[in-house]
Amino acid sequence: MSSRQRGISRRSFLRSSAALGTGLVFPAMVPGRVFSKDVPSQHITMGCIGMGRMGQGDLRSFLGFHDLRVLAVCDVDRNRAEDAKRIVDNAYAGRGEQGQGKGCDVYGDYRELLERADIDSVMICTPDHWHALPAIAAARRGMDIFLEKPLTLTVEEGRLLSDTVQLYGRILQVGSQQRSDSRFRFACELVRNGRIGGLEKVLVGVDVDPATGLRPSMPVPEHLDYEFWLGPAPWYPYTEDRVHPEKGYGRPGWLRVRDYGAGMITGWGAHHMDIAHWGAGLDRWGPVTVEGSAEFPRDGIWDVHGPFEIKYTYENGLQIIFADNKKNPQGIQFIGSDGWVRVARGQITAEPQSLLKEVIGPKEIHLYKSQDHKANFLECVRSRRETVASVEVGHRSCSVCLLGDIAIRLGRKLRWDPAQERFMDDDEANRRLSVPMRAPWTLG
Amino acid sequence: MSGNWRKFLVLLGMGAGWLAANLGVGSWAEGLLLEAKLEQRHLHVLVDGELFTTYCFQEDQKYPYFYPVNGPVSGLSVTTESSEPYPHHRSLFFACDKVNGGNYWQEDLLAGQIVSQGPRVIQEHGKQVQFVDECLWNQPGQEPVIRDLRTITISAPGKQLRCIDLLIELHPLVDVTIERNNHSLFAGRMVRELSEHGGGSLVNAQRDRGEKGTFGVPSPWCDYYGERQGVVEGMAIMEHPSNPWFPTPWFTRNYGFFSPTPMYWLPGDRLDLPAEIPVRLAYRVVVHAGDTNSAGIAALYGEYSNLPEGMPIHAMRFQKLLEEALAYQWGQSRRSLLSMEKILKEAHGDENLIAFLERAMIHALSGHASRDIKQFLCHKLSEMGSKKAVPVLSSLLMDMETFDMACFALERIPGKAASDALIHALHDLDDMSKMAVIHALGQRKDVQALPALFSLAHGTSPGEVRASLLALGRFRTEETLDVLMEIEREQVWGLDLEHARLSCACALLDAGLAEEKAGDGLRETLDHSGNAAVRLGSLHCLLRAGHQDALSLFLSFLKQEEETVAASAAGWAGYLRGVEAITSICGCIPVLPPSVARPLVETLGYSQDPRQEWIEREFMESLSHSENEMLAVAAVRALGRIGAGESGVPLAWLATKATPVGEAARESLSSMRHPGTVPLLLGFLKEGDEETQLAMIQILATRGERESVPLLMERTETGPARVQKAASKALASLARQEDLDPLLHLMVSLQDDSIRKGVEDALMTILQGASSREEITGKLLAMMEREKPSVRISFLSLLRRLGGMEALEGIRAELRSKDVALRKAAIQTLAEWEDSSPMEELWVVARKDKEEAHRVLALRGMIKQMGMPSERSHAQSVKWLEEAWKLAERSEEKRSILSLLPRFPCDEAIQLAQKAVRDPQVVKEAKMALETMVFEGEVGFDFQPPGSVLEDGFIEVHMGTLFSENGRYGWDAPCKGERDRKIGSALTRDLLFDASPRTFHVKLSNGLYRVRVYLGDMANFHDQMEVGAQGKIVLQGITLQAGEVKAYDFQVEVLDGMLNITFKDGGGVDQNWTCAGIWIGQ
């Protein structure tokens, strides 16, 4: 095909670079209008829901982005909400960017925060049982969402959240920040480009939670709206170790209570199984069988799993063994026919070691490159491009862990249909894909 | 009466008696008559006049027991009073071992005895007899530890059945601990003929058989039976469900022993029975004719236990746990709940067991259980309940305390019954609860609930309407959509209505149902909804479904909606395909705000259709010049994706820019796969201007294009300097073995070092990757030989990088060259060698070369190499440094030498440094060297007047050697005097002395040292000399005659980098201390 550059020969085009500023003729279909430059970028505004241990950390990170403005914070624990407000106001005061008079707004009810027309996006760092409802509501209000992992408490919630976010064209980033870490990406690229030969097995190792004893019920602290904190979860009398520390931001007990979270199986699993899928090229999919066993606390108020081992098999024959880190080293190890690569936070090893010096060529598979997880979210809010850890990816990474939790609680091998997202021939297992909600909360 | 008549009457009477006995006449129809006869030490129980069993309680018995226990047909005891093996077993008995250390099972009475206090008959005759007994468990002479009260009831429910019911209440009189043992509680020992050994059978309630099958297995009963002299008889022992360890595991043996007992399986290997807390145990023994089945043992157990016949053992256990947990309060131990969960989990697949378990839970929910246990049970029913649970759950819906959990459970139980219950409940519940039920119906997607939901959706209560709308949104039926579309959009629930319509319509479209209707519904929402998110969702759905108006709807949306909303939708252009669509989209872009145009552009460039490609490409090419940088970048990326060869031209032009657009262009070209790309790039490299060439080089290198190597070599050779450098750098990543020769020639031709470096790098990459170093070195040297000196120079750097002895030899050879430049280059190369192999050569050059520049070069190299790791001793290294020092004329070299000194701490180094201190050029560095040198190993100081004979290896210290000046060692203040006595060894002949205390400091690295001081004077007497170290006295009262110089040793620990030795005169006749020297070692 000959050049369509009418009126300019190829040679002269090449030689006279200096003269070529605006001399090129536009094809006829496009009027000669010059596009305006971007207006200086306006802030993305954000409301933050869930100002506990992780939420505060994420808030501080987001405050570091000067093209973002946090307008409101929300927590059912008034002390925590106030602390968060102070952090926001101090940050902006320190930059000489005083807000309008009263500074950052404080809410106890996230629904009020979501009503605000001046908020573009939300950050959600609540306990797991409170992930789906605010996120779905935010999506329906046209907001973009940064949601801490694991995506949801149940598979059903995750499916609905993913469908809603996609339907309404929202941008969602799951807090699986390992996808923005070059070590993890490199390890996965090595696998995807066949550097360890054919992938045969993946070993994933994570921490587990301790058990604890019995606790008496206690009076609800005056600063905590406990009823709201429970939300859709079944009612139990209040005791501190089942919720979060009344003072300070130590590790909260709810992490070990099945009504609120599944334990480290999703807490860490959502990170490491996510990477396992990424490296194996199984994003947005799932296993075909899952079986496993676990120890559970013999008493006490905490009831999530202890040491465990789960085996997943996939359609292509791949096996993933997901276990506590006494059985598998913490992190992910991809084992192939010609070697292996193991990656964890801050470390990557391989056999042969020379793999670590490999360069992935331009014609090979390059995975989504993100340098910073929160920056990627903000970029995608502007560009409307999918984030590195999008909602469907987050849903499938979370689901695979939840399937494992179901398997260890039922103690038998289960067959899973990743297309329909149902267990095959097992009504009892399928019932556990959802958890009912206490009135007035509904997953409508 | 005659004798014959009398005989006849007797016979008649006997016959009548026989008939009466065997025809069930009179009271036998309801069981046989029993009689209890208490004697001195026996209590006999007769059934129908025949002895059935005797309760034996003699004083010398270990424990009371039953013997015989006669079979109903044979009249012979089915048990044995004593048999091998284990002759201590007594028929049918209750006993125990390891009770507070006592043995109430076997061995002699001293170890323990259960002593009957004498039974008392309660019921002497009738259909049953009953007696009680009190027993004390004690060791002789000691207080009893347990008092038990036993009630024994014996009956004969049928001709072939006999029952012994034993209820025994153990009252610990003190705290009792029973340790794990294999001696049981209530036990039976069958006669040999009826034992397994003798051909008999042992079976439990689960139909496990034999010792093997029953040992350790929990079961409510076991039956041991066999055939003896043609008669089948047996004995079953049953355990009442109220027993503490029910269902208890069994200790069974094939020689006839069997007993339900926890003792062999105690958790923690012990059982603690606190004082005053009674333990109740109940058993029934059934002595029967026939086997287990014909005697109906299972049914008899049902009667005894009040449990349904056929109830699985795990259900019994579950029942028991549940009964114990009925008052459960949150906060208490969850163990029984966890045990129940385990039984439920393991019941999977056993429909019979599951049915029992469910029944038990339903029953508990119907009764007086705590709220908290009801919550638990509802949770379990939600996981595995069936329609059978629906009635009780429905009733719980009406109680606010249990509503939530009951609703949960009903929500998840499939089937009509649950739906009906929920629907029915709607009538009677308050608003909040109603909403929960509505939601549950929506979750279930129960079509039969639709009429109720429709009705609610048309209501007026906002909460109910909203809940039902959301519930309806989950259904995918046409009818539902109809209803949703006809409901008025009221303010209060307008948004929920729209979401519901959207959900429903989307679900229908995705399923390919009612497409037209669903599409119309979505159109309506799109046109009329006041909510942007809903409009977005509607559009997305329509696009996804490929609606006929998708394109026009999309374009209008983009144009009419507010910017951020439109931007959200822009990415969906990917749903629209075809030439018409792409043309329209491209035509639309110019009128859209950039934030909307950009995501739109990013969806382009993925098509395989050539026409579409052409349109996109045309458009992107123009767009790539947009003043809006973001758009231009997006367009350039799109061009890269489109990848048709001709995009290369404008991209190549853009690639020369140092802007984000330029970078995007380079990225695009780097990844473009079109086969025409590379020729295009090469063409531009050949003919383009400088910027273009630079851009092309970067792209070709990123792409790893080997075919560009020849051209790159050309560009390295000639061209603008920047291009040459870039080209040579690119070669480094692209060159391969086959390029070796041309690269060598290229290298040789280059003058500029910075350009040549790239070529050298390329050569190194090839050389290192390919043959052995020797081979390559050989090849290079061979090539070098043929060349003239100016060319040979260029090989030297490569040889240096290769390293190795051969290369070194080759370079050394050039030292002899007559060509000055070549010689200089050779010296330079040797000076930069990676190790110290060329040091000697360099020394020679540094001494002898005619050219000063060469000498300095060589000296510098030599000094540098002295600092490299080697096997030399410190002294040897310092010797080299001394040689270098001699040759050093400029302060730079001197300073370099001094900076190396501290690495070799030894006397020679100190001396050199001391010498250097006198050189004004470098006095500062010399002092620094002295200061930083730390003594290692040993050091000796010879105290003497300056110039006196110095002890070998020792350092001279005179009266004025001050630490403050020296920095390494010395006195705190000058000593009074110094003398050379001229007799004795170099060390002992001379000394220093003072009347006042003086401290000698030595800078030493921390550690433990041995110090030797040489005190005394070859000429004079001195008394009461004292020596201190680190402030502590280590030597005292040293008195020496004239001519005596003695060595004294002590240990010192240096903790702060300094050793301080103080000399003092402690009084006496002579007023001085004297010291000839010190030696310090480790």
Side-chain angles (χ1 to χ4, degrees), chain B residues 145-166:
Chain B
V145 296
I146 292 177
R147 176 169 145 266
D148 81 55
L149 296 169
R150 40 187 83 181
T151 308
I152 293 137
T153 311
I154 301 181
S155 62
K159 266 181 52 61
Q160 307 204 335
L161 286 175
R162 307 283 182 264
C163 288
I164 305 174
D165 283 351
L166 171 69

Side-chain angles (χ1 to χ4, degrees), chain B residues 1 12 14 20 72 105 395 447 487 500 522 564 589 721 745 934 997 1002 1010:
Chain B
M1 199 166 301
L12 199 61
M14 278 173 69
W105 181 267
S395 66
V447 171
I487 292 175
L522 289 169
T564 49
I589 287 176
H745 285 110
V934 178
V1002 186
R1010 210 152 50 87

Side-chain angles (χ1 to χ4, degrees), chain B residues 554 749 794:
Chain B
F554 178 68
S749 70
S794 54

